[in-house]
Amino acid sequence: MGRENGFTALRLFAAILVLITHSYSLAAEAQDPVMKLTALLPASTLGVDMFFAISGFLICASLKRQPTYGSFLRNRLLRIMPALAVLCVITVFVAGPLLTNSNRYWHDEQTLAYLWNATIYVWQPFLPGVFTGNLTPVVNGSLWTLAMEATCYLVLLLFAWSGALNRRGLAVLLAATYMLHVYEVFPRGLILFGYSGGMEVYHLNRFLLLFAGGAFISLIGRSWAVSWPVTVITGALVLLAFYRGQEDWRNFMPIYLPVWPWFVISLAYRLKRLSRLDGFDASYGIYLYSFPIQQAFVQLSHQTITPGMLTLLALPLTLVFAFLSWFLVEKPALSLKGGLPAPPRPAVPPTTALAS
């Protein structure tokens, strides 16, 4: 399919979409422009859906290249955890003391408990006295999706281990997650394992559907799957989904969800000229730092800031932190990918293998 593509550019765009929606929600305006226009979903949902589709495509290709399952897990941890850990440390030991209105910040057990966010699967949303005067006291409302993404990695790894990482295996996963979503089998609010801060099963199933869609395209591995006709056809189907959604909102997701990964992945191959951005992948840094920076501006303005002004102020500062995160944390961590030993990949029993 070629190494030149616009995946980095699309991830940057997706991260900015999330930031824009948060500007509206944090500045007490209920709907961003995309939600106002479509009445179906906000810009942030498009952005997060784009992240999961791209992630499925790239992570599946990475898994197929890895000599061992251990090396795959190591590389995924190196991509996610160092930058997340640095963010949590900065939040607790720098931003928290500067922004809190509590004189017991260092005595409250909630303060150091916030560092559990660095484990991915524990979400501690609050710090004592931080942003308590804002519309929401959540310190970083973007972190909840990281556990969803990590779980998608593990599901893909499970498929590889069982011999089902092929087109037939992922077609079954796609069909199952699609039917579960369309028929609303999982009610909203159902939390996996039932612990506070846990993953909502409804969202996990939806994200897994998008992730598997990207992975399925990766397994096809043919140029036609990312060709111009695919971009045009799936783009038209996405527009059809929005049109049909205006008639009845229940018409939207059944069309949108299966075609969105195809549109996003094929679109990336129309943006080959933007591949020069590959040397500076700030999308993860934007995703990590934008929300607390926006919350800080809301607090400093005493909740008088407008969504547009919040975006204009937060985006440049977020880009600075994302730049520093990429060059000082993420890029050095990624350089360790080939430097640590990993356990060998176990042989897959022939009886469990599924034909592709």
Side-chain angles (χ1 to χ4, degrees):
M1 294 184 183
R3 297 183 63 85
E4 289 190 353
N5 53 65
F7 285 122
T8 299
L10 286 179
R11 283 195 298 250
L12 286 169
F13 178 64
I16 292 172
L17 287 179
V18 174
L19 184 150
I20 290 171
T21 294
H22 288 163
S23 288
Y24 279 80
S25 59
L26 295 176
E29 288 204 21
Q31 298 182 339
D32 67 17
V34 174
M35 176 59 88
K36 290 178 181 178
L37 178 65
T38 67
L40 292 168
L41 78 182
S44 59
T45 298
L46 288 175
V48 174
D49 289 352
M50 192 176 293
F51 271 126
F52 275 88
I54 292 173
S55 182
F57 181 85
L58 297 178
I59 297 304
C60 183
S62 174
L63 179 55
K64 298 294 282 187
R65 290 193 305 266
Q66 296 302 319
T68 67
Y69 296 141
S71 63
F72 171 78
L73 288 172
R74 175 198 64 206
N75 293 349
R76 292 304 92 217
L77 290 174
L78 287 172
R79 183 65 187 99
I80 295 178
M81 294 198 71
L84 178 61
V86 171
L87 166 75
C88 292
V89 169
I90 291 174
T91 303
V92 169
F93 294 101
V94 180
L98 292 174
L99 296 168
T100 185
N101 57 20
S102 172
N103 57 10
R104 293 190 53 80
Y105 179 84
W106 293 116
H107 301 283
D108 195 313
E109 62 181 17
Q110 198 176 50
T111 300
L112 294 182
Y114 189 87
L115 295 174
W116 281 105
N117 284 306
T119 65
I120 302 176
Y121 278 98
V122 178
W123 189 44
Q124 297 285 343
F126 309 115
L127 278 172
V130 177
F131 305 141
T132 52
N134 291 3
L135 187 65
T136 173
V138 172
V139 175
N140 197 328
S142 298
L143 300 184
W144 68 276
T145 62
L146 295 180
M148 304 279 186
E149 175 141 357
T151 301
C152 289
Y153 298 165
L154 295 176
V155 170
L156 201 66
L157 185 62
L158 178 62
F159 268 65
W161 176 82
S162 65
L165 187 58
N166 49 58
R167 281 173 284 180
R168 183 182 298 178
L170 284 190
V172 171
L173 178 61
L174 281 168
T177 52
Y178 180 79
M179 298 300 287
L180 289 170
H181 185 85
V182 169
Y183 288 100
E184 300 182 346
V185 174
F186 300 122
R188 299 290 185 101
L190 176 63
I191 304 299
L192 190 64
F193 304 129
Y195 71 94
S196 177
M199 295 179 290
E200 187 173 342
V201 180
Y202 175 87
H203 289 303
L204 178 60
N205 180 75
R206 183 174 177 279
F207 291 147
L208 185 56
L209 169 57
L210 293 162
F211 185 90
F216 184 79
I217 298 168
S218 179
L219 287 178
I220 291 175
R222 303 292 179 87
S223 59
W224 67 261
V226 295
S227 62
W228 267 106
V230 170
T231 308
V232 173
I233 293 170
T234 56
L237 288 172
V238 169
L239 292 177
L240 175 64
F242 278 102
Y243 175 76
R244 294 280 290 145
Q246 301 307 307
E247 300 172 351
D248 186 333
W249 63 269
R250 289 169 293 190
N251 295 331
F252 175 69
M253 284 297 175
I255 304 173
Y256 164 82
L257 284 174
V259 302
W260 183 248
W262 288 87
F263 174 66
V264 171
I265 302 304
S266 62
L267 179 63
Y269 285 93
R270 312 279 76 78
L271 303 174
K272 293 181 179 180
R273 292 186 178 182
L274 298 179
S275 61
R276 67 192 65 182
L277 292 173
D278 291 349
F280 174 40
D281 188 359
S283 59
Y284 188 40
I286 294 173
Y287 200 76
L288 290 179
Y289 285 94
S290 59
F291 196 96
I293 288 174
Q294 289 170 287
Q295 281 280 62
F297 278 118
V298 171
Q299 177 171 301
L300 292 172
S301 72
H302 302 288
Q303 299 187 67
T304 60
I305 195 167
T306 63
M309 182 59 65
L310 181 55
T311 300
L312 289 174
L313 291 175
L315 181 56
L317 185 57
T318 299
L319 285 171
V320 171
F321 277 87
F323 179 90
L324 294 173
S325 178
W326 171 250
F327 284 105
L328 298 181
V329 182
E330 296 168 55
K331 194 173 182 181
L334 291 175
S335 69
L336 300 174
K337 277 186 174 183
L340 297 174
R345 175 183 291 199
V348 178
T351 54
T352 64
L354 294 175
S356 60

